[in-house]
Amino acid sequence: MNHAGPLELLIATILSAQCTDKRVNIVTKELFEKYRSAADYANASPAELESAIKSTGFFRNKAKNIRACCRKLVGRHAGKVPRTMEELTQLDGVGRKTANVVLGNAFGINVGVVVDTHVARLSQRLGLTKQKSPEKIELELMTLVPQKQWTLFSHWLIWHGRRRCDARRPDCVNCEIKKLCPQIGLKN
Ligand code: SF4
């Protein structure tokens, strides 16, 4: 997702819930021009913010979370995005996945592995985990992947999941890692 700096990445990640990156990028193009600081979001008119992010879906809840989150940024962190998992996950609308995205990509801090739908699916197909919940998958991946590659590893799986290992129609014939893959859960 397009962003310049931690605050924009945080906002884009909150908006990305149940929404494509493409749609988020369309919305944030104008949004980031209008709202430039945590205070701008904190003081935003609810109706205006809702209207600006409407097409990302669940816009009322997202607008509410963004305003509350940015009020905390202003009140507790001088308007800056904090750099710890503990502080990030105390912000409204920010769970472990969003915090991992921000820490890994905005600050280069590897404290966990982002587990989205692609990472979950590929980890299972590749036989890296039998777990189903993102939290448990993340814990297993953290034991298998070197910590310095946690952020990159998510990007690799997401890239591969989007371009080769589709949920319904994985392109196993042309897959670059076919020799390594036990194809768990696929009918042969
Ligand atoms: S071999 Fe098939 S199931 Fe395994 S990673 Fe490649 S596309 Fe996915």
Side-chain angles (χ1 to χ4, degrees):
M1 292 177 294
N2 299 332
H3 66 279
L7 178 66
E8 289 190 0
L9 181 58
L10 177 61
I11 301 297
T13 310
I14 292 173
L15 292 177
S16 73
Q18 310 291 318
C19 181
T20 63
D21 290 356
K22 194 175 166 191
R23 168 56 50 190
V24 171
N25 286 337
I26 291 169
V27 166
T28 54
K29 195 163 185 280
E30 281 186 21
L31 189 76
F32 292 162
E33 279 177 20
K34 186 170 178 187
Y35 302 93
R36 296 186 168 270
S37 67
D40 288 346
Y41 290 104
N43 299 322
S45 138
E48 274 184 29
L49 187 56
E50 284 178 8
S51 169
I53 65 169
K54 192 165 188 175
S55 65
T56 68
F58 302 96
F59 61 96
R60 288 206 177 88
N61 206 30
K62 287 178 183 175
K64 192 171 142 222
N65 281 335
I66 287 171
R67 290 176 68 247
C69 168
C70 287
R71 278 199 297 274
K72 282 186 187 158
L73 291 184
V74 172
R76 297 179 183 176
H77 305 288
K80 304 281 184 226
V81 177
R83 292 170 174 247
T84 68
M85 175 64 75
E86 194 186 6
E87 290 170 307
L88 276 165
T89 51
Q90 284 175 16
L91 301 170
D92 301 72
V94 181
R96 189 171 169 90
K97 188 174 99 178
T98 297
N100 270 330
V101 170
V102 172
L103 290 170
N105 296 284
F107 299 127
I109 300 170
N110 288 301
V111 296
V113 180
V114 172
V115 178
D116 74 347
T117 176
H118 298 291
V119 174
R121 181 177 75 253
L122 266 74
S123 299
Q124 288 157 355
R125 283 182 179 170
L126 288 164
L128 303 177
T129 182
K130 289 181 180 168
Q131 299 294 341
K132 300 274 189 266
S133 78
E135 295 78 16
K136 288 182 179 169
I137 292 172
E138 181 184 358
L139 285 178
E140 291 210 348
L141 293 178
M142 286 164 72
T143 67
L144 296 172
V145 179
Q147 186 170 3
K148 65 179 181 186
Q149 292 184 325
W150 284 351
T151 301
L152 260 182
F153 186 74
S154 287
H155 286 303
W156 291 336
L157 290 197
I158 292 167
W159 182 269
H160 195 63
R162 283 183 173 154
R163 284 159 184 79
R164 190 67 79 197
C165 192
D166 183 78
R168 288 189 201 139
R169 295 197 307 164
D171 183 10
C172 298
V173 173
N174 295 307
C175 180
E176 295 78 1
I177 55 172
K178 188 178 176 186
K179 281 186 188 162
L180 301 170
C181 180
Q183 300 178 322
I184 303 289
L186 295 183
K187 291 175 192 159
N188 291 313

